Amino acid sequence: MEHPGTVGELAETLRQGAYLADRGLATALFVAMSLNRPILLEGEVGVGKTEVAKVLASVLARRLIRLQCYEGIDTNQALYEWDYARQMLHIRALSEHQVTDADAVDKLFGPRFLLERPLLEAVRAGDQAVLLIDEIDRADDEFEAFLLEVLSDFQISIPEIGTIKADSPPLVVLTSNRTRELHDALKRRCLYHWIGYPAADREVEIVLIREPGISAALARKVVAAVQRLRELDLAKPPGVAETIDWARTLDFLGESDLDARAARDTLGAVVKDRDDLEVVLDNLQEITSGARGA
Ligand SMILES: Nc1ncnc2c1ncn2[C@@H]1O[C@H](COP(=O)(O)OP(=O)(O)OP(=O)(O)O)[C@@H](O)[C@H]1O
Ligand SMILES: [Mg+2]
């Protein structure tokens, strides 16, 4: 699909993919796409940072290429690796046939034995792809510096093969949970958008677009309760993902109301920390009474 012509169109396209973006997010994404700039999404846990990249790829009919970052990730896992196992087999075959010419040996480091990892894949796919660099804050400093280089020219040099360059760069979405501060240099290269928790009405809409079978009344109650949970000082406040899970769980169990009893029975869908559980149990009445009035 051609890329949407206005911010409103983009938001509408995302909605068709069951993603509700507020004006700020839709604008940031629209500008990122139009100006070929990577976009960095930071925000609370479970507020739709990863999902927006997936939905974008799907509604734009682009390939989603995901680089999941983690502690200790290195350039091999991100760019390319040589397929050692196949190289060894090939070498064995060569020696059995007593082949020793330089050409055959050169081929060992040719495209046949190259394993593409997400960044190389993305450079090859260019604007046919959405590159999701997920949870960049989990990778270490060196990796971030290396990423910065790749993002600045979308060009990868493989000594044995040559330089591969994207004709037009993919749409790049980076996400971070802010477990550490990212470097200014990386931020400067990207557009930035913070995704906070949605307002209650919006969150109800999100629940209903994701779980159309759920009654609006139940969705409202769940959202009201979740919003109260977020006001408590929890170690792991529930994200939108938990709101949806909770509503789905209650609906599955045939609960049409969220009272203290129903909440206690299903808390595992929304509170996932032992200490938090105690705080929540102490306040259940209040959390759900707010829900009942809503
Ligand atoms: N604006 C939204 N529109 C539709 N669905 C949403 C929205 N925000 C969140 N969701 C739902 O919440 C789920 C969790 O979102 P996602 O995994 O993208 O969160 P995240 O911000 O990447 O969280 P984490 O920090 O844990 O990685 C999604 O699968 C989706 O169902
Ligand atoms: Mg995520």
Side-chain angles (χ1 to χ4, degrees):
M1 169 184 179
E2 266 310 292
H3 108 226
T6 63
V7 173
E9 261 175 59
L10 176 60
E12 184 46 41
T13 306
L14 286 169
R15 177 185 283 269
Q16 279 158 20
Y19 190 93
L20 300 184
D22 62 23
R23 183 89 191 163
L25 175 59
T27 306
L29 290 169
F30 181 73
V31 174
M33 291 173 70
S34 309
L35 302 185
N36 280 335
R37 294 277 301 275
I39 179 163
L40 169 62
L41 300 176
E42 282 193 327
E44 310 288 351
V45 170
V47 291
K49 302 183 295 295
T50 302
E51 185 72 11
V52 73
K54 293 188 190 168
V55 172
L56 258 181
S58 138
V59 295
L60 299 175
R62 292 189 184 197
R63 188 145 70 94
L64 178 75
I65 298 175
R66 179 173 186 166
L67 175 64
Q68 177 64 52
C69 299
Y70 50 89
E71 215 183 308
I73 187 174
D74 65 27
T75 53
N76 288 340
Q77 286 132 359
L79 270 185
Y80 66 88
E81 286 174 287
W82 292 107
D83 190 342
Y84 291 120
R86 288 192 61 214
Q87 282 174 325
M88 293 315 282
L89 287 172
H90 193 67
I91 289 170
R92 196 183 301 156
L94 290 180
S95 65
E96 273 166 15
H97 295 97
Q98 317 243 307
V99 182
T100 51
D101 62 295
D103 198 38
V105 175
D106 278 353
K107 280 198 186 120
L108 275 174
F109 291 94
R112 247 180 94 191
F113 298 99
L114 190 70
L115 294 175
E116 289 190 4
R117 297 300 178 219
L119 291 179
L120 179 55
E121 255 183 275
V123 165
R124 284 234 163 99
D127 64 5
Q128 299 304 302
V130 172
L131 172 62
L132 166 62
I133 301 177
D134 213 13
E135 306 187 347
I136 169 76
D137 52 326
R138 294 219 216 160
D140 39 39
D141 285 5
E142 296 87 73
F143 189 76
E144 203 184 308
F146 152 78
L147 255 184
L148 186 66
E149 237 176 82
V150 175
L151 294 183
S152 55
D153 46 11
F154 274 98
Q155 169 172 312
I156 291 174
S157 311
I158 305 175
E160 298 87 349
I161 292 183
T163 299
I164 300 167
K165 188 167 171 48
D167 296 332
S168 46
L171 172 62
V172 183
V173 178
L174 299 103
T175 82
S176 160
N177 282 334
R178 289 205 65 194
T179 57
R180 68 175 175 84
E181 212 29 75
L182 301 178
H183 288 274
D184 286 347
L186 184 75
K187 286 190 165 171
R188 234 177 288 128
R189 182 143 295 285
C190 302
L191 296 169
Y192 177 87
H193 186 78
W194 171 265
I195 306 187
Y197 296 121
D201 287 349
R202 192 23 100 93
E203 195 161 6
V204 170
E205 260 194 281
I206 294 174
V207 172
L208 294 176
I209 201 171
R210 288 279 157 173
E211 291 293 323
I214 290 175
S215 80
L218 181 61
R220 271 199 296 276
K221 286 173 182 175
V222 171
V223 166
V226 167
Q227 300 232 338
R228 288 195 166 214
L229 288 176
R230 287 186 193 135
E231 286 164 14
L232 300 174
D233 196 17
L234 301 182
K236 299 205 183 329
V240 179
E242 278 71 30
T243 313
I244 297 171
D245 262 354
W246 202 9
R248 192 186 286 148
T249 303
L250 288 158
D251 182 63
F252 171 73
L253 294 174
E255 304 279 4
S256 53
D257 193 14
L258 182 60
D259 52 19
R261 198 264 318 146
R264 187 180 300 108
D265 288 352
T266 54
L267 265 190
V270 68
V271 180
K272 298 172 183 176
D273 177 275
R274 189 175 175 280
D275 296 334
D276 287 352
L277 211 51
E278 275 172 33
V279 179
V280 172
L281 285 171
D282 286 345
N283 292 281
L284 253 194
Q285 205 61 46
E286 190 205 323
I287 289 163
T288 53
S289 66
R292 195 174 291 140

